Amino acid sequence: MKKIKKKNNRKKSSSIAVTSVLETLLLLSMTVGFFTILYISVFSFSFSQIPPAVQILGTTSENLDIILYHRGGEPLSIDSSIVLTIENNRTDLILGDFLDNTSKLDSLWSMGESLIIPCLLSEDQHGEILIIDSERNVMVFHGYV
Amino acid sequence: MKNSKKRKLTSHNSGVVGIVATVLLIGLIITFVGILQTVHVPNWLKQKEAQHMNEVQTQFTQLKYTVDMLSLFGEPVSLTNYITLGSEELPILNIGRTYDTLEILSDNFMITVSNATDSFSSTTSDILYSSKNSHFVDQVLCLEAGTLILSQPPSSILLGQPLFSITNFTNVSLWLYNIAGLEGKSFVSGYGTYVLSNEYINRTTHSITEVTHINITTEFPEAWADFFNSSAFVNSGLSYSMTVGNETLDIEYNISLGNFIIEVIDIRSQLAIWKY
């Protein structure tokens, strides 16, 4: 009887050891899996939501052209968009369409370069301008002319 | 017997849970710190450096104002300005401190005004600040012959024009500052707020008539072109052709300027390092 009891004990203890190894493996694989998902989901998300530090000056010329002047800071992509609202009429424009050819060579709107938007305003009209950086999809300028 | 086995099994399980919890926590902390260091910290530093650039720009406008006032008063007194070099590190994380330079560069600007038979040349120095940013674009601020210039190489723009006047459309008076730095006190590099003292020395008037040609040698020809293209000159009704080179600016007037007066103001500047 004693012998039989000993055999049973051995069987039970070995099965417990196997279970704990399996447990550990399972938990480890779950942990690795969890952190892999976390890593992929977190790092594929764009954190660059802070607008680029850029100084832009907006004004109008005598013949009511809208002039936007880059006064320093980070350059903006020529694919960025300009949203011009005049008396609740919204017009979407592409920044690069209003730069001269020399300024467009580097595909950037850099310091010292001007955008000239030909007269969309009439006298006594005011326009609201938004510039949205295409790379980060954030607003970099909001002004009135 | 059965009870003791159960107890053993339970205590073994809770041990595994503790290890797993620790692994998970360490993983979370590493992930959090990783995201902070690689994504947020560079953005914060960039914003901090951009703010510092604005601060130095304001300090340089005050410097220009001071030198303008010194020239207009013509009194041999010394006025002090403060320029902050370098941006502070981020609190707690203790990273991101930058170190900038401020110097008085001698003979960095030359203007030659000439007519058919005669010419006048003047050479002056610059007060030049250079940033050494790690995340934001590097900028150079320069007070050159009374003109305040912002440069992001290779481009430069005009922030403040020199003292000048145009009367009767063609009589031009231009004030140029000849800034001389004291030997051994004309360069600083580092972090902190530095003292720059400027003293009025002398004023000399030079006059030349029937000017047809102006030539400028400078590191910032685009900014000087902005000045000569400014409304005051354009509205004078004179037609001219302008050539902007790498380090030169040439202006050729079709009709000569009546009288060109250049007031050269001698200013002595020193970066006040009091101990020697």
Side-chain angles (χ1 to χ4, degrees), chain A residues 1 12 15-16 20 30 33 47 50 77-78 89 115 133 137 144:
Chain A
M1 277 294 279
K12 270 188 184 174
S15 71
I16 288 165
S20 62
M30 276 170 70
F47 281 93
I50 296 172
S77 163
I78 57 167
N89 294 320
L115 285 173
D133 180 34
N137 199 27
Y144 295 88

Side-chain angles (χ1 to χ4, degrees), chain A residues 78-120:
Chain A
I78 57 167
D79 297 325
S80 300
S81 52
I82 301 170
V83 180
L84 179 65
T85 312
I86 302 167
E87 290 181 349
N88 296 326
N89 294 320
R90 179 187 157 130
T91 317
D92 288 337
L93 308 164
I94 300 295
L95 192 146
D97 296 344
F98 303 95
L99 272 176
D100 59 75
N101 289 334
T102 320
S103 307
K104 264 195 284 195
L105 284 175
D106 57 356
S107 301
L108 292 168
W109 182 32
S110 311
M111 193 188 80
E113 295 172 352
S114 297
L115 285 173
I116 301 169
I117 304 169
C119 47
L120 291 167

Side-chain angles (χ1 to χ4, degrees), chain B residues 86-125:
Chain B
S87 56
E88 275 179 31
E89 65 273 19
L90 284 177
I92 304 164
L93 295 168
N94 242 10
I95 50 170
R97 178 178 282 196
T98 60
Y99 302 89
D100 304 331
T101 61
L102 182 66
E103 56 193 314
I104 301 162
L105 286 174
S106 54
D107 302 336
N108 217 37
F109 171 86
M110 192 172 84
I111 183 168
T112 305
V113 180
S114 50
N115 60 20
T117 54
D118 198 9
S119 71
F120 167 77
S121 287
S122 179
T123 308
T124 73
S125 307

Side-chain angles (χ1 to χ4, degrees), chain A residues 55, chain B residues 47-63 82-88 100 129 139 141 191-194:
Chain A
Q55 289 189 8
Chain B
Q47 278 184 318
K48 219 170 169 48
E49 286 170 1
Q51 276 171 6
H52 177 242
M53 289 295 100
N54 286 340
E55 185 190 356
V56 179
Q57 232 179 78
T58 309
Q59 289 172 337
F60 259 75
T61 55
Q62 286 166 350
L63 172 66
Y82 301 91
I83 310 287
T84 308
L85 303 185
S87 56
E88 275 179 31
D100 304 331
Y129 161 89
Q139 294 188 330
L141 277 157
Y191 165 81
T193 301
Y194 290 81

Side-chain angles (χ1 to χ4, degrees), chain A residues 9 12 16 20 23-24 27 31 34-35 38 42-43 47-48 50 53 55 69-75 111-112 136, chain B residues 5 9 12-13 16 20 23-24 27-28 35 39-40 43 46-47 50 54 136-137 139 150 152 155-157 159 226:
Chain A
N9 276 351
K12 270 188 184 174
I16 288 165
S20 62
E23 256 177 26
T24 314
L27 277 167
T31 311
F34 170 70
F35 279 111
L38 192 77
V42 164
F43 281 88
F47 281 93
S48 307
I50 296 172
Q55 289 189 8
Y69 183 55
H70 193 302
R71 285 192 72 243
E74 291 177 75
M111 193 188 80
R136 282 160 269 207
Chain B
K5 264 183 195 171
L9 199 65
H12 184 69
N13 267 349
V16 171
V20 170
V23 169
L24 281 168
L28 269 175
I35 293 167
V39 180
H40 291 292
N43 275 333
K46 193 161 77 177
Q47 278 184 318
N54 286 340
F136 188 61
V137 276
Q139 294 188 330
L150 170 68
Q152 277 178 204
S155 306
S156 61
I157 60 166
L159 288 186
D226 282 352

